[in-house]
Amino acid sequence: MFGLFKSKPKAMTKERAEAIINAYGAILMKHPNMVTDENELPFDREEIKEALRFGIGAADDPAMIDMLKAGYVTLGDFLRLTDKERFVVKQQSILQEAGFDPSNATLAEVKKWVAHYAEYRPLMSRVEANAFILAHEIGAARPEHPKLPEGFGEPG
């Protein structure tokens, strides 16, 4: 009524999953950066997850399953960014495209790079945290890692 409510989600079919996965794959090819604005996603994050899970369940090729799981984990690269964070990501893209190497830079260039990196690093940390969570969701986490010690993170 009057567009106030979201429409009922469409059932995931093979064709729909393929369309979503292909569109998502195209975005991954277009944005190889570690941090990307979530507005670049071609579909809702949950819908992409559902399509990838569908594909994983339907695939019989282990390489394809691994690729789909990697795509699932890579959803962590897509963050909700502020305007300032979008600028920082754009600056990182410029540095990557230029092949900037701080070891061959002037002191003034290194100081600019360090200031930039101080703003970019927290975004990378968010991506890394997302990747761990998504890897656990999809069963791609490495089980050989030790568990957190009893009482970790609880107030003393």
Side-chain angles (χ1 to χ4, degrees):
M1 174 178 191
F2 305 112
L4 297 176
F5 303 102
K6 290 185 176 182
S7 60
K8 185 177 177 186
K10 296 180 183 178
M12 190 58 64
T13 64
K14 179 180 185 263
E15 294 77 20
R16 182 147 177 77
E18 284 178 358
I20 292 169
I21 292 167
N22 288 336
Y24 174 54
I27 292 299
L28 291 179
M29 298 299 287
K30 182 180 170 190
H31 295 283
N33 295 330
M34 183 179 207
V35 178
T36 306
D37 191 327
E38 74 176 2
N39 292 329
E40 297 291 325
L41 288 171
F43 292 90
D44 174 74
R45 181 184 309 272
E46 293 305 315
E47 200 167 10
I48 295 170
K49 285 175 159 184
E50 184 182 354
L52 290 166
R53 286 190 298 263
F54 184 95
I56 290 165
D60 54 7
D61 176 16
M64 176 59 73
I65 292 169
D66 287 345
M67 187 173 71
L68 293 169
K69 284 183 177 183
Y72 192 97
V73 173
T74 302
L75 273 168
D77 292 1
F78 293 85
L79 302 176
R80 180 173 295 134
L81 299 174
T82 64
D83 289 340
K84 180 174 175 42
E85 290 169 336
R86 280 186 201 91
F87 176 77
V88 170
V89 169
K90 178 66 176 163
Q91 294 300 300
Q92 182 65 23
S93 294
I94 291 168
L95 288 172
Q96 286 176 331
E97 289 171 15
F100 179 74
D101 180 359
S103 64
N104 294 326
T106 66
L107 178 58
E109 290 171 332
V110 169
K111 286 181 178 181
K112 277 185 181 178
W113 177 78
V114 167
H116 160 75
Y117 193 74
E119 293 180 326
Y120 188 70
R121 182 66 194 144
L123 298 175
M124 291 174 42
S125 294
R126 284 169 47 196
V127 164
E128 291 164 358
N130 288 345
F132 282 117
I133 291 166
L134 291 164
H136 278 278
E137 280 182 15
I138 202 63
R142 295 183 299 206
E144 70 272 11
H145 288 266
K147 302 272 186 224
L148 286 174
E150 186 99 12
F152 177 81
E154 297 174 11

